[in-house]
Structures are given as structure tokens and as C-alpha cells.
Amino acid sequence: RKRHVFACSDFPGGLYVTGTTLGSRPGYVPAVAWATVLRSGMKHYVECCATAVKATRDLASFIDGHEHLRLMAEADVTTVAFTSNTIDIYLFLKEMKARGFLFNALQFPPGLHLGLTMEHAEPAVMAKLQHSINEVVELVLAEQGGPLKRVEHKAMMYGSSQAVPDRSIVDDVLKGYVDIFYSNSEQAASKHHK
């Protein structure tokens, strides 16, 4: 089954593995966008997009002005990607998740990204997000004992897998995970007892 699995351990978006030909490109995203246009009208859809883009630029500006965070790219549409040279970004991710904000981890270099929606554009949500970012940065700094000169990212699988120089080893582990995921318990048990 491993020959049917695609794995990419050096994708900047993180460890990627899929057992299907479509990968992670679900068809529901464009279907929902089209349904929204049909239900709400093009004018409303464009207004919502503009609101989400403005929220993205506001967050990007906030991060760009932050002492301990650094933008990884221009935030042109609705995604903000950032990293840090002074804090463990994966520890930051863990603490933000505990506060209800779900960022996606990146690797090479270690970082995070957030796709903003209309919900993020709500003034109270944006204020809470920015407050939480400041709060979590201070928490991570305190836990680390201050800004780090050389950040070692150890908080998650992304950080530990980046330390493996032979990427084929990580690819094999990812393929093994999918193999076990799609195996029934009897197959998995007999495989491990041989």
C-alpha cells in the first residue's frame, strides 16, 4: 500500500501525506463559494471578501509592528504567515490553540499561518486575537527566560522532524502512518508480530 501513498516531508506547509489522488483538494470549498454567490449575490460576496482582506491587512500590520514576530510574506489576500527569531513559534502555536485560535504550522523555516474569515473581521474577535498574541508572546518569553538568540523549535512534530537531515526517513514514517491508518486491526497486529 505504501506505493500508493504520496508523502512530502519538506513541504513548507508542513508534513504532507495523502492516500488519495485528490489529496487535500476537497471540492466543497468552490461549491460553498458558488452557493454563497447564488444565495447572497455577487455584490455581497465581494463586500465580504473585501472585509476579510482588510482584516488580513490589519493583522499583518499588527504582526509587522510586533517586536518578537516577523512576517514571512506579504499578506495580499486572506492569509498571514509569520515566524519569530526570539520565541519558539510552535510553543506559541500551542498556547494560541488553548485560547481558541487555530493557526497552521509551517516548516523550513518554522512559522505559522492563519487564513482569515469574516469571523476574524469582527472588531471584538480581532481585538481578542491581537490581545491573545501579545499575551502569549509574553508567556512564551517568560517560559523561555527571555528572548532567545538561537531558537530551537521543539514543541511539535514539525520542529522535531526538521532535525532529520535525510528527508526520505520522514517520508517513510508518513507513509507508514497512512498504511496503519487504512489497515484493519487484524492486518496491523499480524504485521507487527512477524
Side-chain angles (χ1 to χ4, degrees):
R1 193 172 334 175
K2 287 183 184 178
R3 298 192 198 302
H4 297 267
V5 175
F6 174 76
C8 182
S9 61
D10 55 0
F11 173 56
L15 302 174
Y16 182 79
V17 62
T18 181
T20 68
T21 54
L22 286 178
S24 64
R25 296 179 310 211
Y28 76 86
V29 175
V32 168
W34 182 242
T36 303
V37 168
L38 293 178
R39 173 89 166 104
S40 303
M42 183 62 83
K43 181 179 180 217
H44 179 72
Y45 186 80
V46 169
E47 288 169 357
C48 289
C49 290
T51 301
V53 168
K54 181 186 178 319
T56 303
R57 292 185 176 150
D58 290 347
L59 181 61
S61 177
F62 173 79
I63 289 170
D64 194 39
H66 201 286
E67 178 184 3
H68 296 285
L69 301 175
R70 179 176 52 84
L71 288 174
M72 296 175 76
E74 294 277 333
D76 291 333
V77 188
T78 58
T79 302
V80 177
F82 61 97
T83 189
S84 177
N85 295 327
T86 59
I87 66 168
D88 184 329
I89 203 71
Y90 299 134
L91 184 54
F92 174 91
L93 169 69
K94 179 182 163 194
E95 294 296 333
M96 288 299 289
K97 182 178 181 181
R99 286 162 176 73
F101 291 102
L102 305 177
F103 292 83
N104 293 309
L106 302 171
Q107 60 178 1
F108 305 121
L112 305 176
H113 74 87
L114 177 66
L116 281 87
T117 65
M118 289 295 294
E119 184 177 357
H120 295 106
E122 293 290 327
V125 174
M126 182 59 72
K128 182 178 178 188
L129 174 59
Q130 292 177 355
H131 174 77
S132 294
I133 288 171
N134 284 331
E135 187 177 72
V136 168
V137 165
E138 292 305 315
L139 179 84
V140 172
L141 283 168
E143 198 166 309
Q144 296 175 166
L148 299 177
K149 302 229 183 296
R150 182 172 186 272
V151 178
E152 303 257 345
H153 302 278
K154 297 180 183 175
M156 336 179 30
M157 188 173 183
Y158 288 97
S160 59
S161 71
Q162 286 182 43
V164 178
D166 184 353
R167 304 309 299 161
S168 67
I169 294 170
V170 180
D171 286 343
D172 287 343
V173 169
L174 292 172
K175 289 177 181 179
Y177 170 79
V178 170
D179 187 46
I180 290 170
F181 181 80
Y182 285 111
S183 298
N184 68 39
S185 59
E186 289 177 18
Q187 286 176 327
S190 66
K191 206 180 228 184
H192 294 294
H193 291 296
K194 287 183 180 179

